[in-house]
Amino acid sequence: MKIKDVKAYPTSFPIPPANRVALGIGTAVKRDAVLVKVVTDDGVVGWGEAHHGRAHTAVAKLIETTQRQLILGMDADDVTGVWEKMYRFQLASHGMGAGACLAMSGIDMALWDIRGRALGVPLYRLLGGSRKAIPAYAGGV
């Protein structure tokens, strides 16, 4: 299963006034996200979300240009090898720093999604967890 394509979708939408949350740095008036789609030559599609650090379009562009070129043709099941290559060429060599880390997170998540789909295993089990209820809380973000 080789990586055939990588796409990033930056999105931004307003938060309705009734749902806005005041944080120490101000009130959130919109929600930005970068969805990452990785497609294999076998047709398996994995999805991830890259943290955007308030620069969702920049992170999406980095994914679709530099990082995409680094990982095309690599084995989609080699999550660690893909991560190491992105690290070596983006972080260890010329200090792309935070932007590269943010972009890598979405690709990494999409590759784990592909691995789970290809094996027919839920991601929580693939990562060593078990299905159990987890209490949720409103963290303000």
Side-chain angles (χ1 to χ4, degrees):
M1 235 181 359
K2 303 291 183 190
I3 298 172
K4 178 181 172 184
D5 198 15
V6 179
K7 295 222 182 277
Y9 302 93
T11 184
S12 183
F13 54 89
I15 298 173
N19 297 341
R20 292 182 182 163
V21 177
L23 305 171
I25 58 173
T27 300
V29 297
K30 66 183 178 107
R31 169 72 165 102
D32 297 332
V34 179
L35 298 179
V36 180
K37 179 181 178 183
V38 177
V39 181
T40 70
D41 59 355
D42 295 349
V44 181
V45 176
W47 289 92
E49 181 180 358
H51 183 65
H52 55 79
R54 298 187 185 167
H56 64 296
T57 55
V59 170
K61 192 68 166 177
L62 179 61
I63 290 167
E64 286 205 339
T65 56
T66 306
Q67 290 189 339
R68 178 180 183 274
Q69 293 304 315
L70 287 173
I71 67 172
L72 283 178
M74 291 187 73
D75 184 355
D77 192 47
D78 185 11
V79 178
T80 303
V82 170
W83 190 94
E84 285 176 352
K85 185 171 184 182
M86 289 187 296
Y87 175 84
R88 188 172 63 249
F89 286 96
Q90 288 281 278
L91 294 171
S93 66
H94 39 300
M96 292 294 290
C101 287
L102 299 174
M104 288 166 64
S105 68
I107 292 171
D108 186 65
M109 193 182 300
L111 291 175
W112 280 104
D113 187 33
I114 285 171
R115 185 182 254 187
R117 289 173 190 270
L119 295 172
V121 177
L123 192 55
Y124 72 84
R125 186 172 299 140
L126 190 63
L127 296 175
S130 62
R131 186 174 187 166
K132 60 183 176 185
I134 298 173
Y137 69 95
V141 177

